[in-house]
Amino acid sequence: MSNPNSIEDSIPNKSQRELGIIEKLCSTYGFVYCCHRDGRYFFHFSEYKNDIQQAKIGDVVEFETTIDKRKQKPVAVNITPASPEIVGENRVEGAIAVVARQPLNNGFDHLNYMPDGKVTYVKKGETYFLPYGISDLQDSSKVVQVGDQVTFNVSQDRRTNQFFARNIVVTQKGPPVVSTAKRFRGVISTMKDSFGFIEREDALKEIFFHITEFGNNIAPNTIQPGVEVEFDIQNRLNKDLASNITILPKGTVQFDEIDTALHIGRITQPLQMKTKKSSDMLSGRLLYDAPDKKMSELPFGERDRCGLYTLLENDIVQFVIARDKRDGMTRATQISLLDQSFLKTKEHREVGTVLQLVDNKSGYIKCITSDQVVPFRFSEVMKDDFQIIEGDPLEFSLALNPHNGDIPHAIRIKLLTKDNFRSMINDHEFRVIGVVERDAQDNHTSSDNKSQQANGNDSITIPSSRQHEPGVIRYFWDDKEATIQFPTTNISGTAALFCGDKVEFTLILGNKFATDVTLLERNRLRGWIAIIREGKGFIEEANVSGNIEPILFTINSFTGDNVQIELGDELEFSLRKISNRLVAENILKVSSTLSTLYSILPSTHRGRVVSPVRLITIDECEILGRIQKITDDGTPGECYTYSITGVKNKRVILLPNDAVTFSVAVGRDYSKRAVNIVLENETRKGKIDTVKGQFGFIDFPCEENKKIFFHNSEVEGGFELRTGDEVEFYAQYNVKTYKPCASKLRRINNLQRPDRLITKLKTINFDANTRQKLIIVRQPRNADEKSKGFTNARVERTPGVLIKS
């Protein structure tokens, strides 16, 4: 295949400007990455010559570069959207070399998908091959085959300079192709990073393959040992390898003819570990009574066992005989260990419980008799379709692992029944793992007098006025969930325990208290401050989906002195349960990790607040609100939840039906939330309810009250506000008290007398005899609307006599 760079003359070069991809978009600026050289440039939204709201990360653009005069750094200017591909105008004649296959939805990357079809053509004596896909055929309903004559346009991906065939039209059908190549079948036996080996069905040997021979439409995670395949054989560099591999349904490939008669035998040689010098796949040996009443020996391999657990010498096993169709060799298969083997060999067996599981592949067992912790692997469990959980009773043997410093590990593991386990552990004390459901200071926590004790890096808040009331630990025993009490005097290694802490304790049958309670893992939670009022507030817990229960906290629960907190700050804390209510203790302010929990989509939407984050009463709140999306035609759309962390200006107060703009963020669990929430019009309107000296209240529904506080220092223009005045203002949370308050007040109506005075004037300012009425044209104020009018004393003036001012 020749390099197709010589066909660049078929594609016009329209511009000498730089080509790049939008890499990042912020509020008013972004970054663009150059495609053809290593360069990342800053740009301002004003330099984008199209609607910036339509731009998104990954868009291809053209731009020019210049030097920022202030920072002396290169920046991108005069940015315009560009097509990621250039299609040549001239049609090229060629032929189908490889027929493209239909892409399968197996989880591969559609964006970076490389089509597997090929067209070939000759130009200036050189042969070129260009890839194409099913979508590149103008009539995709017609079936094409190798040799069909076609015409097409040559296109070039401007980002990668890769050439493709587009708009393919079949001009002449080629002669029918009769495939004479023999197809082979087998099973994948070994798989490495990008290559592996297939055990052939037709011959007793393996053949090498590379993962690219499966084509681009097969997801890599589906290529694994045990998958049955069909393939061709090619000779490259004097070595056979599999090519053009396709996956077959399970059960298609059959290597053996199996006799269903059961036999019992004894292991004389266990399986040997494979080495480079020894590649014998049937390294195991067993003896059994043959039908002719003579002792016969049969080999067996790794795949002939019913399980992956260890088989030892002199084990009594059950098996069937298989005959290989390729060479007629017989061997033992479907080998399973019999229980009578443990009695005959007098193998020492241990009893224990599952202490911890690791990645559903391995774990640790706590021995009952020796109080020893040993590792184990799931492959050593002698049962199919098992599900092991922490606390399960097990019977096992111990073996030394020479590859891990001769550390003992559990092998040949059996699941025990409850009755068998009870009989084995009778009169034994054993350690059990549980979780603290209620700490030992429930219903009597006092944060006024507290002391702290450090356990490693753990700082514990201990109430000084605590009573010795026992806590509760929840654990599993005999496949059942159970609870046990523990007093504070039975805690060892730490000063206090909190809700959710993972502990280990000694359980004695018949004893109602747990003894020697030891902390294994401190349950430290994370969350964000959602509401603050008068020295206490509520926390939104992180990594919790669905109905989130608010967690109460007080300022005194923070570790450290003079801790400054704001709405939306991220915290780390321990948990208590006081009067069936969750309370945060030992609170520590930490750096924000919110950007790692959610991915913000680039689009911006309009919406309205359905229900805001608000304080209902002093002990009840809603820490999650809802925003409904408004479509372009004004119809209501999907609703999204939001919290205080999603509001850009966290001091602004959101109310029902407020018009907002927002973005959508997707979490790790694919849940969606509204973020970057901005109130479109922060100006509020209300009527002065009361004025008391230097402050007052506005009739305005906000959270738990129907009125909002204001101070005269926030009145613009120096006007003296009176009851009944209509004003415009900004509703925000106070910086110090976090209570709702009004700022930047402005009167929007002329001052009017109260209704009671206007009614009285109508009655006293009307002369029934003369039919005349006193009408107030202007209130008694000067023209500046600030100082009071009629302040000078009025005296009767004698005609012709001037009065000194």
Side-chain angles (χ1 to χ4, degrees), residues 781-801:
R781 288 178 179 271
N782 287 333
D784 59 3
E785 283 292 333
K786 296 181 182 179
S787 60
K788 295 183 179 180
F790 306 119
T791 55
N792 296 331
R794 294 180 176 273
V795 296
E796 185 176 357
R797 181 174 65 85
T798 304
V801 179

Side-chain angles (χ1 to χ4, degrees), residues 56-58 107-115 157 159-160 164:
K56 57 183 180 298
I57 295 175
F108 64 91
D109 188 0
H110 289 270
L111 295 178
N112 299 321
Y113 166 66
M114 178 63 69
D157 191 323
R159 297 167 295 182
T160 62
F164 298 92

Side-chain angles (χ1 to χ4, degrees), residues 436 439-441 450-464 466-469 471 486-499 501 503 517-520 522 574 576 586:
V436 176
D439 59 272
Q441 290 81 43
K450 58 184 179 181
S451 59
Q452 295 184 357
Q453 178 177 346
N455 180 18
N457 294 327
D458 193 12
S459 180
I460 305 299
T461 301
I462 308 170
S464 60
R466 69 181 188 184
Q467 304 173 11
H468 296 287
E469 187 172 325
F486 69 96
T488 55
T489 55
N490 288 359
I491 301 175
S492 61
T494 185
L497 294 175
F498 295 98
C499 291
D501 287 350
V503 295
V517 183
T518 305
L519 176 66
L520 293 181
R522 181 70 73 187
S574 297
R576 289 195 186 278
N586 191 23

Side-chain angles (χ1 to χ4, degrees), residues 96 99-100 119 132-144 150 165-170:
I96 299 293
V99 177
V119 296
Y132 80 95
I134 293 293
S135 59
D136 294 317
L137 298 173
Q138 286 194 354
D139 188 356
S140 58
S141 62
K142 290 184 179 181
V143 178
V144 297
V150 295
R166 306 294 191 203
N167 306 323
I168 301 174
V169 177
V170 179

Side-chain angles (χ1 to χ4, degrees), residues 92-100 118-121 132 137 139 142-152 168-177:
V92 180
E93 295 182 355
I96 299 293
V98 179
V99 177
K118 292 278 194 305
V119 296
T120 180
Y121 71 101
Y132 80 95
L137 298 173
D139 188 356
K142 290 184 179 181
V143 178
V144 297
Q145 62 182 9
V146 176
D148 286 352
Q149 299 298 314
V150 295
T151 62
F152 55 90
I168 301 174
V169 177
V170 179
T171 58
Q172 182 180 350
K173 298 291 290 184
V177 179

Side-chain angles (χ1 to χ4, degrees), residues 200-214:
R200 293 170 56 175
E201 186 184 35
D202 62 310
L204 194 61
K205 59 182 179 179
E206 294 181 338
I207 186 170
F208 173 86
F209 74 92
H210 196 271
I211 194 173
T212 55
E213 294 296 337
F214 281 87

